[in-house]
Amino acid sequence: AVPDISEAAFRALLLYLYSERVVLDADIVLDVMCKAHQYEMRALYTHCMRYAVRNVSISNAIAWLIAAEERHLRDFGKLVFRFVVDHLRVLRERDEFDRLKGYPELMLRVIKAI
């Protein structure tokens, strides 16, 4: 078993290991990306980053930014950070924005980037 990964993400990881097929969705991409980074699976990590580039949105940006910070995913964090800064006006009005209060250093970085 692989710790700290959902069952669906584990299945996606196994599918990639056995067939080099990548099947991602918003619910598992962070878990898969984290394990790809941890186990130095560069091609899979790149697939996850491409998925993130295409799918970062107003509805998931704050959650993804926090997850990137917590999981030490620097490349992913930079991508989402830029999206958050670029869309801050809209994101400020959303309930999810209040989650950043629990991450004062991250909130400060966002404010300084404006």
Side-chain angles (χ1 to χ4, degrees):
V2 178
D4 304 325
I5 189 170
S6 69
E7 182 180 329
F10 184 67
R11 274 191 255 116
L13 193 59
L14 285 177
L15 178 66
Y16 176 76
L17 288 172
Y18 286 105
S19 69
E20 294 189 4
R21 286 183 48 228
V22 179
V23 178
L24 298 169
D25 64 42
D27 294 329
I28 66 168
V29 68
L30 295 180
D31 282 347
V32 174
M33 185 185 301
C34 191
K35 291 305 173 189
H37 179 72
Q38 180 181 349
Y39 295 122
E40 298 180 7
M41 301 167 74
R42 196 72 200 150
L44 181 56
Y45 184 82
T46 300
H47 280 290
C48 293
M49 282 294 292
R50 285 186 191 141
Y51 180 92
V53 166
R54 289 189 310 269
N55 292 281
V56 64
S57 67
I58 297 297
S59 64
N60 64 21
I62 298 298
W64 281 11
L65 180 63
I66 291 169
E69 184 77 8
E70 290 176 342
R71 297 174 183 205
H72 310 288
L73 296 170
R74 287 190 185 122
D75 295 337
F76 179 62
K78 288 177 187 177
L79 164 84
V80 180
F81 182 84
R82 186 78 257 151
F83 183 91
V84 168
V85 170
D86 290 347
H87 296 87
L88 190 58
R89 215 167 259 178
V90 174
L91 288 166
R92 270 192 327 210
E93 304 302 320
R94 297 180 58 87
D95 292 338
E96 299 92 29
F97 191 75
D98 288 342
R99 291 187 57 204
L100 283 177
K101 290 178 183 175
Y103 300 85
E105 290 179 17
L106 187 55
M107 175 75 91
L108 184 60
R109 284 191 358 237
V110 168
I111 292 168
K112 284 182 175 181
I114 299 172

